[in-house]
Amino acid sequence: MMRQGPAGSRSRNAATQVHPACPDVATWAARLPRLRDAYSAHLHAGTTPREALRLDAPDTGLVEAWLTAEAQAQKGADDKLAAAYLLGRIAFAVCEVLAALALEGLQPARLAPDAVALTARRALWHLDGQSGEGRAYDIVLAEARLVPCSAPSAVLGAALPELFAPLVRHLVPRAGLSRGALWRLVGDALSGALLLQGKHAGRAEEAMEIADAVLRDRESPLHSRQTGFFRVDLPERPDIAEWFRARGGCCRYYTTEGGAYCSTCVLRDSKSREALLRAHLRRKHGLEET
């Protein structure tokens, strides 16, 4: 795992937090951070809707419809990109909810493939005077209880391979991507979601520690040598710095019409990656390009 830059102060351990009366899913869902705006996953509990994708037994017709929708959103998309986008988006939706819960020392009472399903919806976004439409995925839990999470790395490390194994098995022959390539996308979703939630909570170090513990496990299908975290600062303003997630997998956006490597793509060299992220930091902080 890459962990470049100063380590910072020792982070709090979510396992030490005590919840004598855990909130139910509805209570927690009302305060779930919506850090991706329209794309942030909504959280529900109860009966699985007919139009939902069950993780224990992915319906072939529904998977095909969702793959088609992902492909149609990108000009020149092929089956591999559609599968990478679909799995990456679904995994991130699940992981951003589980990450937010884990950082509060909570987890769903049942976290198994037959207890988690996803629904799709239109996501309308507005940014810098522009707007558009995309797809977002929401989570439905079979049980409405939340329970204390005393070991978030262990819980996530065990649950995620079990949750996504049926969908990965379904996508391998359908899309032509290897199991390893698909599992790296799930690992990227976990590390990205944990870092996102950790930054929001002011606990990025703790969040990265949880992700590192999961992704360092060589016995896990989520293991990846490339996935990790790195810190970028501005030479002219060393006080401006931020942690970023390095990807181990690839969403294949570069294969689309007019596409390119993402800023943190595993296929991008570190020099160009850091140049793009420094430009991002300058825009974010209202600084002129140097």
Side-chain angles (χ1 to χ4, degrees), residues 56-110:
D56 63 328
D59 178 79
T60 299
L62 187 57
V63 172
E64 287 299 316
W66 287 11
L67 286 170
T68 298
E70 292 290 353
Q72 289 177 342
Q74 302 291 339
K75 291 184 178 180
D78 59 11
D79 288 347
K80 291 182 178 180
L81 178 138
Y85 264 53
L86 179 61
L87 181 61
R89 291 184 193 277
I90 286 176
F92 203 102
V94 171
C95 288
E96 70 178 327
V97 171
L98 296 182
L101 286 168
L103 288 170
E104 291 299 322
L106 296 167
Q107 68 181 74
R110 288 192 62 222

Side-chain angles (χ1 to χ4, degrees), residues 16 156 166 255:
T16 64
L156 294 172
T255 66

Side-chain angles (χ1 to χ4, degrees), residues 23-35:
D24 60 16
V25 168
T27 301
W28 174 260
R31 66 172 191 257
L32 186 67
R34 303 198 54 74
L35 306 180

